Amino acid sequence: MLPPAMPNANLFAALRAAFPEDLDACAIECAEALPDGSTPRYSWRDIDRGTAMMANLLSSLELPKGSRIAVQTEKSVEALMLYLAVLRAGYVVLPLNTAYQASELEYFIANAGPAVVVCSGQHFGWVSKLAFVAGTSYVFTLNDDRTGSLLERAAHCSDQHVVAVKRADELAAILYTSGTTGRSKGVMLSHGNLLSNALTLKSYWGWRTPAEGGDVLIHALPIFHVHGLFVACHGALLNGSKMIWFGKFEPQAVIRRLPEATVFMGVPTLYVRMLAEPALDREACRPMRLFISGSAPLLIDTFKDWQTRTGHTILERYGMSETLMLTSNPCKPENGERVGGTVGPALPGVQVRIVDDQGRACATDEIGHIQVKGPNVFNGYWRMPEKTREEFSADGWFKTGDVGQCDAKNYVRIVGRSKDLIISGGYNVYPAEVEGYLNELAGVAESAVIGVPHPDFGEGVVAVLVARTGAHVDGSAVMAQLKGRIANFKQPKRVFVVAELPRNTMGKVQKNLLREQYKAAFI
Ligand code: MLC
Ligand code: AMP
C-alpha cells in the first residue's frame, strides 16, 4: 500500500529517499570487465548525479507532458540510469527487448509515438529511420561501454535536478505485451502501481536495509521486463542494497559471486543452467538468504534439486506485466512454508480469485480462471480502450488468462493458461504472431505454432506447417528465413511439415493434439 498523503508520488522520489546515508558506498558493482579491462563500480552518489544529468538533458528538450521515451539498448548501468532519469524527469519509459527486429520495432514506435528513442550505436541507422518516419523528435545512442550521444549530451548538463512531481495515478511506464489475437498491446503502469508493489515486496521478502546488515542482489536478468527492471532493481534500490551487475547471465560467473551476495532472482532457465554446474554447492550458497524464481513455471524437480544441492528452498512467485507481482510463497517462516509447485498466497493488498467459465467463485482446489484486483493492477492498454474492457470482468477484476486452483491455505497453483501463450526461457511467445510470419512465407499454406517441453527453456517453440499444393517447404529453410525478421526467442526451434492440421468439428486447429504428438521434440 502507498503511504498516505505522499507529497510527490513519483517513484523516483521514493527510490532516491531510500539511498543510504553514505552516498559514497557502492551501489552497483559490475561483474564483467569493459573493453578497456576496468570493472566499474558506481556509488549512490554516481547514480544520483548520473540520473540528474540525464533528467536535465531530457528536460532541456522541452518535450510535451507525458512524452514517451523508448529505449532499446544493451544492458548497462547507464541504461538503468536512463530508466531512472525518465522517471525523475516525469516522462514515460518504454523499454524494448533487444531481440526485437525492425518489423517489431516499427510497430511499437508507430503505436507509442515516442518523442525520444534511445538505441545502441550499431542500430542507429535503421532505428532512427523508423523513428523519424513515425514522428520521433530525437534519437540518441547508448552503448554498453559507456559511449554514445546520450552520455555525450548529458555530460554537459547539471548534476542537480529537482524530481518532477507526479500523482500516483500518472503514467510511469509502458510495457508491450503480445496478445492471443491482434497486435501487441502497451500495458500502462503508473507510479502508484510500481511503488505499491515495490513496497509490498520490500516488506514481504524481508529486504534487510544496510542498517540491518544489508542485502546484496545478484542482478543477471535483462532490464526491459517486469522481472529484471521492476522486481529486481526496485527491490534493491528501495532498500539501499548493493547490486552485483551482470550484463549477461553466465552460470559459472554467477556461482562464483554467490558467496558475496544474499539475494538472487531468476527465471527457471537460470536455475536449470546453474544446476548443471558442478561448482554449485552448499558452500557457494552459504551467505545467501533468498533465491526467487518467477516469470515461468518452476518444475518441481528443479525446486527439489536446488534444495538438495544448495540447502536453500527457492521462493516461487507469480506476476505479469499488467499486474506486477500477484502472489508469492512466503519468505519469513511466520508467514508459512514455501511449497514447490505453487506460487504461494496473494501478496498483502492484492486480491486473487478463481472463477469458473460463468464467473462464479470456484470451491477450494477447484480449477478455474485466475482474476485479480489491487493497487498493482495497470491503468489499461495504451490507446486500446476496447481491449482494456475485454480484459476486465463486469465487477472490475482483471482476467489474467492463467488457469489455476487455490488450496485451503490460499496457496495458488497455476495449472495452465486459457491464453494461447508459450513461455520460453521466461520470454513470452504468442503463437498467432509467429503464425502470421510463417503464413507469409512462399509455399506455406497454413501453420500452427505450439510450445512443447524443453529441458533448458521450459517450453520450446515448434511450428507445424502445411505446404501449398505443389509447393515444397523445407523446415531448415523456413527457420533460416525467419532469422532477422522476428526476435530470436520467437523463432521455432523445430519445424514439421504435415499434409494437414488436425481440426475439430468447428474447424479450429486442435493444438492439444499437436502438443501431444510433438511433446518429445526436444527430449
Ligand atoms: C535466447 N534464445 C532463446 C531464448 N533466449 N530462445 C528461446 N527462448 C529464450 N528465452 C536463443 C538465442 O537467441 C540463441 O539462438 C539460442 O536461443 C541460444 O542462446 P543462449 O546463448 O543459450 O541464450 P542466452 O543469451 O543465454 O539467453 C537465455 C536466457 C535469456 C535464459 C538467459 O533468454 C533470458 O535472460 N531470459 C530471461 C527472460 C526474462 O527476464 N523474463 C522476464 C519477463 S517478466 P540462436 O538462433 O542465435 O542460436 C514476466 C513477468 C514476471 O514474465 O512474472 O516476471
Ligand atoms: P508477461 O506477460 O511477460 O508479464 O508474462 C506473464 C505470464 O507469465 C503470466 O500470465 C503467467 O502465465 C506467467 N508466469 C509468471 N510467473 C509465473 C510462475 N511463477 N509460474 C507460472 N507462470 C508464471
Side-chain angles (χ1 to χ4, degrees):
M1 278 290 151
L2 283 180
M6 274 180 31
N8 183 0
N10 188 322
L11 168 66
F12 182 83
L15 300 177
R16 175 64 188 85
F19 283 16
E21 234 167 79
D22 179 8
L23 286 181
D24 293 314
C26 181
I28 305 181
E29 184 182 332
C30 294
E32 299 127 336
L34 289 179
D36 65 6
S38 64
T39 44
R41 293 166 70 90
Y42 297 77
S43 67
W44 294 96
R45 194 183 304 281
D46 293 333
I47 306 292
D48 189 34
R49 290 185 60 232
T51 56
M53 290 159 88
M54 289 188 203
N56 279 321
L57 168 60
L58 293 173
S59 302
S60 74
L61 304 177
E62 299 186 348
L63 307 171
K65 196 170 180 286
S67 287
R68 277 78 59 209
I69 316 289
V71 182
Q72 191 195 37
T73 61
E74 293 304 323
K75 183 177 175 183
S76 68
V77 177
E78 285 69 25
L80 172 63
M81 288 204 255
L82 171 60
Y83 161 62
L84 297 173
V86 175
L87 296 177
R88 189 169 182 159
Y91 296 116
V92 179
V93 72
L94 168 52
L96 292 164
N97 193 321
T98 44
Y100 292 148
Q101 303 293 313
S103 67
E104 292 158 311
L105 214 66
E106 188 175 10
Y107 170 77
F108 299 127
I109 292 182
N111 189 255
V116 177
V117 172
V118 183
C119 64
S120 48
Q122 56 168 335
H123 297 148
F124 179 79
W126 63 268
V127 173
S128 58
K129 217 159 127 189
L130 287 180
F132 290 134
V133 167
T136 295
S137 309
Y138 301 91
V139 179
F140 294 109
T141 59
L142 175 63
N143 304 314
D144 57 0
D145 61 356
R146 304 209 265 191
T147 61
S149 60
L150 183 88
L151 297 179
E152 283 160 20
R153 290 281 303 272
H156 298 287
C157 297
S158 161
D159 63 0
Q160 303 294 311
H161 178 272
V162 179
V163 181
V165 175
K166 288 278 142 185
R167 291 189 320 270
D169 63 352
E170 282 187 277
L171 203 51
I174 298 179
L175 297 191
Y176 273 86
T177 161
S178 295
T180 303
T181 54
R183 297 305 301 255
S184 295
K185 301 165 285 187
V187 173
M188 298 194 288
L189 292 163
S190 67
H191 286 266
N193 293 146
L194 296 168
L195 182 55
S196 70
N197 210 234
L199 288 168
T200 300
L201 295 177
K202 174 172 158 58
S203 145
Y204 197 71
W205 288 347
W207 280 90
R208 297 183 314 210
T209 61
E212 295 159 341
D215 270 317
V216 176
L217 172 77
I218 293 200
H219 194 299
L221 285 164
I223 55 167
F224 40 69
H225 282 311
V226 164
H227 199 160
L229 186 60
F230 300 152
V231 186
C233 292
H234 293 171
L237 293 170
L238 196 59
N239 198 54
S241 293
K242 176 176 138 177
M243 290 190 253
I244 301 178
W245 187 261
F246 284 84
K248 181 172 165 42
F249 171 73
E250 208 282 297
Q252 290 178 3
V254 167
I255 294 168
R256 274 198 298 277
R257 301 303 295 265
L258 287 176
E260 296 162 64
T262 60
V263 182
F264 177 81
M265 295 186 197
V267 299
T269 300
L270 272 51
Y271 288 97
V272 169
R273 291 188 181 183
M274 285 200 277
L275 277 167
E277 297 297 332
L280 182 81
D281 59 17
R282 284 173 185 249
E283 195 48 40
C285 300
R286 197 172 297 282
M288 285 293 298
R289 182 175 74 78
L290 192 55
F291 287 98
I292 298 171
S293 175
S295 309
L298 181 73
L299 294 182
I300 192 73
D301 286 350
T302 313
F303 176 85
K304 286 184 180 159
D305 290 350
W306 194 268
Q307 242 170 0
T308 310
R309 281 278 285 288
T310 70
H312 286 271
T313 303
I314 296 176
L315 177 159
E316 186 174 5
R317 59 51 174 187
Y318 158 55
M320 57 191 302
S321 304
E322 286 91 335
T323 64
L324 307 169
M325 296 304 102
L326 291 165
T327 73
S328 170
N329 270 282
C331 173
K332 303 167 192 166
E334 65 264 31
N335 289 334
E337 58 170 341
R338 295 177 203 160
V339 181
T342 82
V343 290
L347 283 162
V350 177
Q351 289 170 269
V352 173
R353 72 179 187 186
I354 316 276
V355 297
D356 65 15
D357 288 343
Q358 280 71 45
R360 288 184 299 247
C362 288
T364 302
D365 291 327
E366 195 186 334
I367 292 173
H369 305 281
I370 303 178
Q371 299 188 344
V372 300
K373 240 183 188 179
N376 49 307
V377 175
F378 74 138
N379 284 1
Y381 296 111
W382 174 255
R383 292 181 179 161
M384 289 187 185
E386 280 298 314
K387 286 260 177 243
T388 305
R389 266 193 294 281
E390 280 168 22
E391 301 302 328
F392 282 86
S393 68
D395 54 351
W397 291 70
F398 176 67
K399 304 174 192 168
T400 63
D402 293 309
V403 174
Q405 57 192 156
C406 197
D407 70 11
K409 288 183 169 167
N410 291 325
Y411 279 51
V412 175
R413 192 179 285 273
I414 299 172
V415 299
R417 301 171 200 133
S418 55
K419 51 193 174 191
D420 192 9
L421 164 71
I422 301 167
I423 305 184
S424 173
Y427 288 140
N428 287 2
V429 181
Y430 280 87
E433 185 188 3
V434 184
E435 286 159 7
Y437 281 91
L438 288 167
N439 296 345
E440 278 174 13
L441 298 180
V444 174
E446 58 174 348
S447 61
V449 168
I450 52 169
V452 298
H454 189 289
D456 183 31
F457 292 123
E459 288 181 286
V461 179
V462 165
V464 186
L465 305 179
V466 176
R468 286 187 187 283
T469 317
H472 172 74
V473 174
D474 170 63
S476 42
V478 165
M479 293 202 271
Q481 286 181 76
L482 285 186
K483 284 219 180 298
R485 298 197 62 199
I486 53 169
N488 52 20
F489 64 88
K490 298 179 191 170
Q491 291 161 20
K493 294 193 190 300
R494 295 270 192 290
V495 175
F496 297 96
V497 182
V498 298
E500 60 181 341
L501 296 173
R503 291 183 185 277
N504 64 15
T505 47
M506 311 289 288
K508 203 167 176 291
V509 177
Q510 292 172 298
K511 289 201 170 175
N512 52 337
L513 295 185
L514 292 175
R515 278 191 284 268
E516 181 58 27
Q517 186 176 352
Y518 296 105
K519 67 181 179 199
F522 298 110
I523 298 169

